[in-house]
Amino acid sequence: ETGVTQTPRHLVMGMTNKKSLKCEQHLGHNAMYWYKQSAKKPLELMFVYSLEERVENNSVPSRFSPECPNSSHLFLHLHTLQPEDSALYLCASSQGAGKYGYTFGSGTRLTVV
Amino acid sequence: AQKVTQAQTEISVVEKEDVTLDCVYETRDTTYYLFWYKQPPSGELVFLIRRNSFDEQNEISGRYSWNFQKSTSSFNFTITASQVVDSAVYFCALSEAEGVTGGGNKLTFGTGTQLKVEL
């Protein structure tokens, strides 16, 4: 039990599909994040939510749409994706600023066909 | 802007060898936090250590040790007597100390070092 649970673990979707990634944290943290990990690239921060409000959108295309209904849940809604969006999507949470560390989920391996 | 550099893309060692993973960082902040994470093939990022910028004491945890040198902006990680189970990608990361109200700080990662430990 890592404290941060992501579902599904694997997802294959067509370019015209709509799907959602789910993240749930059981740690009582007040900030949640989406990161993208592509092959041979650094982890890229996509979105940051603090106290359920989006505080950063790191120039992410609109085909990615985050949602944070409460402090424990974070979603990433996907629509009309491109093959280059295939990657590992990691969710993380933290309490306050970085001084207390970040806890990551196991990720969703997304393949766009 | 923050930046983390892990110059070693891949390292291969034989079991029981010692190995050091390098990390160099850049930041304009006077207060910041440094992290090391391990990513096994399963994909999850496993937290290993956090160090704040005011604490330059080296740390040892079992076979793991960390050498933080502010003068050279480095935070290197050494595995002593490596084992096959240590095979993974290791990431160094940097976070600024203060963020927006309630948290939500950006964690800047290096590109990672793939460590392969063979029998």
Side-chain angles (χ1 to χ4, degrees):
Chain A
E1 174 59 59
T2 66
V4 177
T5 305
Q6 288 187 245
T7 54
R9 290 297 308 274
H10 301 272
L11 178 62
V12 178
M13 60 185 288
M15 289 190 285
T16 58
N17 291 159
K18 288 185 180 181
K19 296 286 184 183
S20 296
L21 310 185
K22 180 182 176 182
C23 176
E24 185 174 359
Q25 58 102 356
H26 316 281
L27 302 166
H29 289 170
N30 60 9
M32 296 187 76
Y33 313 76
W34 280 114
Y35 278 85
K36 176 183 178 182
Q37 186 178 25
S38 304
K40 304 193 187 298
K41 284 187 175 181
L43 279 92
E44 304 169 58
L45 178 66
M46 300 176 72
F47 300 103
V48 181
Y49 275 82
S50 176
L51 299 174
E52 301 157 40
E53 289 189 17
R54 190 191 311 179
V55 296
E56 182 159 344
N57 174 349
N58 214 24
S59 302
V60 179
S62 59
R63 56 186 184 270
F64 295 91
S65 174
E67 179 189 1
C68 187
N70 55 60
S71 60
S72 299
H73 294 86
L74 184 65
F75 294 89
L76 188 62
H77 304 299
L78 316 171
H79 63 98
T80 59
L81 294 192
Q82 305 298 313
E84 59 265 29
D85 296 324
S86 299
L88 179 67
Y89 289 84
L90 289 160
C91 174
S93 69
S94 70
Q95 178 58 33
K99 62 191 292 185
Y100 300 114
Y102 302 75
T103 303
F104 283 82
S106 299
T108 295
R109 176 69 64 186
L110 173 67
T111 303
V112 181
V113 297
Chain B
Q2 297 178 330
K3 184 179 179 182
V4 176
T5 301
Q6 294 180 256
Q8 305 150 308
T9 304
E10 187 173 318
I11 301 176
S12 290
V13 298
V14 176
E15 202 175 38
K16 297 184 183 177
E17 284 185 6
D18 298 347
V19 59
T20 295
L21 309 182
D22 298 332
C23 174
V24 175
Y25 62 91
E26 297 175 28
T27 179
R28 294 181 180 176
D29 295 329
T30 55
T31 303
Y32 50 89
Y33 299 94
L34 294 163
F35 302 82
W36 275 95
Y37 283 88
K38 174 182 180 180
Q39 188 177 41
S42 60
E44 176 187 347
L45 281 167
V46 179
F47 169 80
L48 296 178
I49 190 171
R50 173 183 61 85
R51 173 66 75 225
N52 73 53
S53 52
F54 291 109
D55 182 1
E56 288 194 66
Q57 274 193 329
N58 292 330
E59 181 159 339
I60 298 175
S61 176
R63 296 185 296 108
Y64 295 169
S65 63
W66 291 269
N67 182 358
F68 176 31
Q69 293 199 350
K70 211 167 178 179
S71 59
T72 56
S73 297
S74 65
F75 186 42
N76 296 337
F77 172 32
T78 297
I79 301 175
T80 303
S82 60
Q83 300 176 2
V84 172
V85 293
D86 295 328
S87 297
V89 180
Y90 290 86
F91 290 94
C92 181
L94 169 70
S95 170
E96 60 195 16
E98 296 300 328
V100 298
T101 301
N105 268 359
K106 177 178 179 178
L107 191 59
T108 300
F109 284 88
T111 50
T113 298
Q114 171 83 58
L115 174 64
K116 294 184 179 179
V117 182
E118 300 166 335
L119 292 171

